[in-house]
């Protein structure tokens, strides 16, 4: 499969994963674009692997973690953001989903990656461990810590506390 065909088939899924890893639509798109740009250069080698999806997922996870480690000098704070949230009430489901993603985005990068790979990508411990470069036990402890943190934060957040 050539690079263009792969991106047509799997590009949207990689962008979604990028969004979930970063907690932001634009940052997720940027992350996926950066990873795909790097992958384009070495596509023949990546395509020859048994699973290009796993390679690119791992690249996304690593790039996401690296992003959190370095201080961004590309973003400039502004008084009023151009992409403000709508004031209209779109319902309890959307509000709950937004709350969940805000809480997930506050998790440490490796815990967030483990949760996203487990519950969004539906990967097992072994596949997650391969992507994160750790043991299955570490994956389990990362997911457990993340879920414990989310459980303690969800109750106060549902009551309106931050």
């Amino acid at each position: 499969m050539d690079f263009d065909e792969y991106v047509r088939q799997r590009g949207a899924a990689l962008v979604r994963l990028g969004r979930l890893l970063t907690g932001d639509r634009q940052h997720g798109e940027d992350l996926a674009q950066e990873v795909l740009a790097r992958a384009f250069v070495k596509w023949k080698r990546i395509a020859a692997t048994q699973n290009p999806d796993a390679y690119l997922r791992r690249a996304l996870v690593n790039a996401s973690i690296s992003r959190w480690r370095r201080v961004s000098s590309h973003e400039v704070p502004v008084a009023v953001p151009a992409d403000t949230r709508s004031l209209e009430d779109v319902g309890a489901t959307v509000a709950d989903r937004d709350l969940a993603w805000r809480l997930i985005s506050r998790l440490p990068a490796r815990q967030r990656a483990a949760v996203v790979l487990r519950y969004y990508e539906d990967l097992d411990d072994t596949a997650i461990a391969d992507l994160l470069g750790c043991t299955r036990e570490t994956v389990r402890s990362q997911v457990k810590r993340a879920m414990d943190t989310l459980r303690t934060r969800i109750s106060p957040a549902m009551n309106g506390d931050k």
Side-chain angles (χ1 to χ4, degrees):
M1 169 182 319
D2 71 350
F3 183 77
D4 290 338
E5 183 179 340
Y6 178 83
V7 172
R8 274 193 299 278
Q9 289 181 6
R10 298 290 301 146
L14 293 173
V15 169
R16 280 191 305 272
L17 178 57
R19 180 202 174 270
L20 294 170
L21 290 170
T22 62
D24 180 84
R25 181 179 176 182
Q26 287 82 19
H27 288 141
E29 290 172 357
D30 290 346
L31 185 71
Q33 183 176 8
E34 289 171 20
V35 168
L36 287 171
R38 282 189 239 127
F40 176 76
V41 176
K42 45 188 168 179
W43 182 249
K44 286 184 183 180
R45 188 175 49 182
I46 294 170
T49 66
Q50 292 293 327
N51 192 348
D53 279 338
Y55 181 95
L56 291 172
R57 278 191 201 119
R58 181 166 190 152
L60 275 167
V61 168
N62 290 343
S64 174
I65 291 170
S66 293
R67 248 184 195 207
W68 281 99
R69 288 183 181 148
R70 65 179 178 254
V71 177
S72 175
S73 61
H74 302 286
E75 295 183 15
V76 179
V78 294
V80 179
D83 55 346
T84 58
R85 189 166 50 160
S86 171
L87 298 177
E88 115 183 22
D89 182 14
V90 292
T93 303
V94 173
D96 289 346
R97 187 176 299 142
D98 180 61
L99 171 63
W101 283 118
R102 282 188 284 128
L103 293 173
I104 290 169
S105 72
R106 291 176 28 202
L107 291 171
R110 290 185 68 81
Q111 288 181 17
R112 184 174 53 254
V115 167
V116 167
L117 292 170
R118 163 74 54 78
Y119 296 106
Y120 178 75
E121 289 290 318
D122 199 28
L123 298 178
D124 62 20
D125 291 339
T126 304
I128 297 169
D130 289 343
L131 286 170
L132 295 179
C134 61
T135 65
R136 291 185 350 223
E137 291 76 15
T138 301
V139 168
R140 287 188 202 118
S141 71
Q142 292 289 327
V143 170
K144 182 189 180 324
R145 287 183 187 142
M147 296 307 291
D148 288 347
T149 300
L150 292 173
R151 282 186 195 102
T152 60
R153 290 180 180 168
I154 195 97
S155 184
M158 294 294 276
N159 294 327
D161 300 339
K162 295 279 175 166

